[in-house]
Amino acid sequence: MIPSQVLTSVVSQLPCHETLLTPFTRLLPFIPASAMAYAGFEAACETDFGNYDFAFNISREGVEHMSRDQQLPWIRLQTFLRLWQSSPYFHSSENGAVWLEFDTADKNFNPLHDPNVFFGFPTSADQGFSDFCWLTSSLLPVLTGGPLSPQLIQRLAVCFEQCPPHTRRIQAGLMIARPVTALRLCFFQIQAADVLPLLGKINWPGDVGQVALLLEKYACYTDSLCIHLDIGETIYPTLGIELLFDQANPWHWQPAFEPRWQHIFTQLKADNYITQENYHFLMAWPRQTTHQSSIVEKLLASLDTSLPSPATTDYTLNQGIQHIKFKLSPRKISVKSYFGCCSHYVEND
């Protein structure tokens, strides 16, 4: 869990952090202290950092708390979380596998509006995803505000059927905060060789040549990829490609330990996808710091049963880079960086 005061100090490290601080401080009162398992920021790499979107992974305690919090303004999210708690995916996942994304870079950002919601579930090579009907008839309609169209269900079914056999996890996302009706489907741990066949099987209408060129340049520096598809009445020509490392502990794939980051950044600079300033910032972002809680913080923790006991309120804060993502659209290719932090509480003798 990440205390809000710690996250505020992390925000202060961002270049031009003032652009995020105002919407961020308006948002934090709605987030329970126990809710943030991992928090992250999203920024475009081609221009100097200054506008950031914010997201966090909800802890199990956070899911339980937010699902029954009568003061929470996000009604659709709250209904979704109650359904999610009854699913086997909530009980089998350490943090409930739900992410909330807030468009804090939008000048019209309103913390009272429901955030974008992403949730993940495992797949298996022999069974695929076994709860498709539950997904399309119960879970997704709560977030969309009504029944899914037959066309959208059909498109989703095709994507699930054509999911490459080595894909270990699928993530679905609804951009509730945006004026779009598309659903985002993310296939994790896809191998580069499976990407173009997948796009062909689902009749993706975008520029396959662009995808092939990016894979040729960048896939050799990763362990696997994540492919983002936008699906509505049709499959849209936009596409997201994340460059991923597969080690279980994110700290182990930071630039100090993973030399392929340098190759990725060198190629990004050669292709004019990242500024020199952003490169230096990202390389310097990863760090580990140990914090000792004050007596006041420990007293507050003792009054809040959702937090660790006063004896365990000291913690190590890990900051790191999560991934680089290419966004392909008919007009251009853009690149975003995702980076953030998590905390680990430590026992005091």
Side-chain angles (χ1 to χ4, degrees):
M1 295 177 293
I2 308 170
S4 58
Q5 71 272 18
V6 173
L7 193 54
T8 302
S9 73
V10 172
V11 169
S12 68
Q13 300 174 28
L14 302 174
C16 302
H17 62 271
E18 296 85 357
T19 59
L20 177 59
L21 207 52
T22 298
F24 189 69
T25 52
R26 292 168 58 204
L27 174 64
L28 279 183
F30 301 112
I31 303 175
S34 61
M36 291 182 283
Y38 176 91
F41 311 98
E42 170 190 345
C45 291
E46 299 101 315
T47 57
D48 290 345
F49 289 161
N51 293 313
Y52 307 90
D53 287 328
F54 172 70
F56 70 89
N57 179 225
I58 310 181
S59 65
R60 291 178 59 84
E61 295 86 352
V63 170
E64 293 169 348
H65 184 105
M66 295 173 75
S67 67
R68 62 176 186 269
D69 182 0
Q70 296 184 355
Q71 303 302 315
L72 196 73
W74 309 317
I75 304 303
R76 278 193 280 177
L77 170 65
Q78 194 166 49
T79 306
F80 164 84
L81 291 178
R82 285 197 289 266
L83 275 176
W84 183 256
Q85 276 187 275
S86 65
S87 77
Y89 308 108
F90 172 73
H91 297 286
S92 63
S93 175
E94 180 181 354
N95 289 318
V98 177
W99 285 80
L100 303 184
E101 180 186 74
F102 300 87
D103 294 330
T104 46
D106 188 338
K107 63 181 180 180
N108 297 317
F109 171 71
N110 186 341
L112 298 178
H113 293 167
D114 279 274
N116 303 321
V117 181
F118 292 84
F119 56 97
F121 33 82
T123 63
S124 63
D126 54 342
Q127 294 182 344
F129 177 57
S130 58
D131 293 328
F132 185 77
C133 289
W134 171 72
L135 175 72
T136 55
S137 64
S138 296
L139 205 60
L140 288 175
V142 166
L143 295 175
T144 59
L148 304 186
S149 70
Q151 295 90 339
L152 175 54
I153 294 175
Q154 182 181 14
R155 298 292 181 186
L156 279 175
V158 169
C159 290
F160 277 102
E161 289 167 3
Q162 300 302 331
C163 176
H166 301 297
T167 302
R168 298 182 188 174
R169 182 162 59 94
I170 293 177
Q171 187 181 71
L174 264 297
M175 304 301 184
I176 302 176
R178 304 177 191 177
V180 294
T181 56
L183 180 147
R184 180 160 294 172
L185 206 57
C186 307
F187 297 94
F188 280 83
Q189 292 182 302
I190 286 187
Q191 297 302 308
D194 292 330
V195 174
L196 295 182
L198 169 65
L199 297 180
K201 290 173 183 177
I202 65 172
N203 295 317
W204 181 67
D207 188 340
V208 177
Q210 280 187 335
V211 179
L213 182 59
L214 285 177
L215 295 178
E216 180 182 348
K217 286 185 175 183
Y218 291 94
C220 58
Y221 302 129
T222 67
D223 293 322
S224 65
L225 306 166
C226 179
I227 300 302
H228 296 210
L229 294 167
D230 290 332
I231 304 167
E233 303 296 302
T234 184
I235 294 179
Y236 293 97
T238 53
L239 187 75
I241 303 176
E242 292 181 10
L243 309 181
L244 300 178
F245 302 115
D246 292 344
Q247 297 97 323
N249 187 339
W251 186 251
H252 293 163
W253 73 61
Q254 297 309 310
F257 311 108
E258 176 48 75
R260 287 176 292 178
W261 273 115
Q262 186 61 61
H263 296 295
I264 291 172
F265 284 129
T266 297
Q267 188 64 56
L268 288 173
K269 287 191 288 184
D271 292 336
N272 295 317
Y273 286 138
I274 189 169
T275 68
Q276 189 73 7
E277 291 78 7
N278 292 349
Y279 160 73
H280 286 302
F281 169 79
L282 290 173
M283 290 293 282
W285 176 259
R287 71 196 68 170
Q288 288 183 315
T289 52
T290 300
H291 297 261
Q292 284 194 330
S293 300
S294 67
I295 294 176
V296 172
E297 289 172 325
K298 293 184 179 185
L299 177 61
L300 291 174
S302 69
L303 301 174
D304 188 345
T305 57
S306 69
L307 291 173
S309 69
T312 60
T313 50
D314 293 348
Y315 54 90
T316 297
L317 183 72
N318 290 341
Q319 295 179 206
I321 309 175
Q322 179 64 23
H323 63 268
I324 295 291
K325 174 185 167 184
F326 291 91
K327 180 182 177 182
L328 288 74
S329 69
R331 295 184 300 276
K332 64 176 291 190
I333 298 175
S334 58
V335 176
K336 292 183 176 180
S337 57
Y338 293 73
F339 52 96
C341 63
C342 64
S343 63
H344 299 284
Y345 286 89
V346 295
E347 295 287 345
N348 293 330
D349 296 329

